[in-house]
Amino acid sequence: MQLVFVGPPGVGKGTQSEWLSSFLAIPHLSTGDMLRASVEQKTDIGKSAQGFIQDGKLVPDDIVIEIVDSRLDEEDCRNGFLLDGFPRTLEQAEMLDQRLASRGMPLSLVLELTADESQLLQRLVDRGRDDDSPEVVRKRFQIYRNQTKPLLGYYDEKNILKSIDGSGTREEVREHIRLAVRQQGLEA
Ligand code: ATP
Ligand code: MG
């Protein structure tokens, strides 16, 4: 099964993905984590991505698509995967669909996590990652609204979108996700 988490910065995609990927026994693929690891290791990709991440901008599609596509070829993805933070643009979504079609592995479910920006801003400032300053976070929210939200309509038309309230405690959100996954007939 192939799943995607979509949602604004700080909504809990990473936290919930860790649980859901182990619940469904599929790998958790976070482009944010992969990009931060590349920056840490000072690879060519990391050097190109660093400035975009610091400024709260999206890393260019071709870079991110390449990272994801090569990760999907790894052995542990053969029975599916959970994507977190990708796709983030319509171009990425269309490219992903093409690459998954050629593998005969279409998306099973897209989970949208929602919460108010004021609550998210507080969570992010508390988290305190380098790109979590209020100024950069505002930029990331803006990009989410303009570039990523159009994906919701794209997936809704394909009838694979489920929206989940991400504003409760992590346990409450987890139960909503468990239910959504079960309703879709996806269980480990
Ligand atoms: P959350 O807090 O819910 O885990 P986030 O939006 O705070 O999510 P990441 O998903 O880790 O954080 O992304 C951090 C940064 O990495 C983004 O601001 C962007 O610069 C870059 N990035 C991650 N995924 C992508 C992508 N699919 N396309 C372009 N840039 C990306
Ligand atoms: Mg994350």
Side-chain angles (χ1 to χ4, degrees):
M1 59 200 108
Q2 291 72 245
L3 286 87
V4 169
F5 257 121
V6 183
V11 77
K13 300 185 294 288
T15 305
Q16 298 297 341
S17 293
E18 263 169 46
W19 166 74
L20 185 58
S21 65
S22 78
F23 180 67
L24 296 175
I26 50 178
H28 170 205
L29 277 46
S30 159
T31 45
D33 290 349
M34 292 188 247
L35 289 167
R36 281 186 291 277
S38 306
V39 170
E40 193 82 10
Q41 291 155 18
K42 300 190 164 64
T43 63
D44 288 344
I45 284 180
K47 286 177 197 159
S48 328
Q50 187 165 24
F52 294 101
I53 297 174
Q54 267 166 6
D55 294 346
K57 294 179 182 156
L58 292 182
V59 173
D61 286 340
D62 53 337
I63 297 181
V64 183
I65 288 164
E66 205 38 56
I67 296 188
V68 172
D69 200 42
S70 60
R71 180 68 184 83
L72 292 179
D73 281 333
E74 287 178 38
E75 172 71 13
D76 63 339
C77 292
R78 71 192 179 286
N79 292 323
F81 48 80
L82 170 56
L83 284 166
D84 158 13
F86 180 94
R88 257 178 160 90
T89 64
L90 270 179
E91 290 71 19
Q92 291 178 12
E94 283 164 2
M95 191 54 71
L96 178 66
D97 278 348
Q98 281 180 28
R99 310 266 168 121
L100 293 182
S102 73
R103 290 174 169 90
M105 297 177 88
L107 291 179
S108 326
L109 179 61
V110 176
L111 294 167
E112 178 201 9
L113 281 180
T114 63
D116 289 343
E117 283 189 13
S118 56
Q119 182 185 9
L120 297 173
L121 181 65
Q122 191 56 49
R123 282 192 197 171
L124 288 164
V125 170
D126 292 345
R127 175 171 78 183
R129 212 167 63 195
D130 283 350
D131 58 341
D132 287 340
S133 71
E135 183 201 345
V136 173
V137 166
R138 265 191 286 275
K139 174 98 211 158
R140 286 159 58 206
F141 282 152
Q142 193 186 352
I143 290 177
Y144 181 75
R145 285 193 300 265
N146 296 338
Q147 311 236 63
T148 308
K149 276 205 148 178
L151 296 186
L152 302 173
Y154 177 82
Y155 288 128
D156 196 29
E157 262 179 33
K158 297 179 188 282
N159 284 315
I160 52 172
L161 180 74
K162 279 190 194 289
S163 295
I164 289 164
D165 179 0
S167 67
T169 65
R170 46 185 80 188
E171 290 75 22
E172 284 164 354
V173 177
R174 175 189 293 189
E175 290 317 308
H176 292 311
I177 294 172
R178 199 197 299 272
L179 195 66
V181 164
R182 187 180 302 149
Q183 281 172 349
Q184 196 75 4
L186 302 174
E187 250 168 321

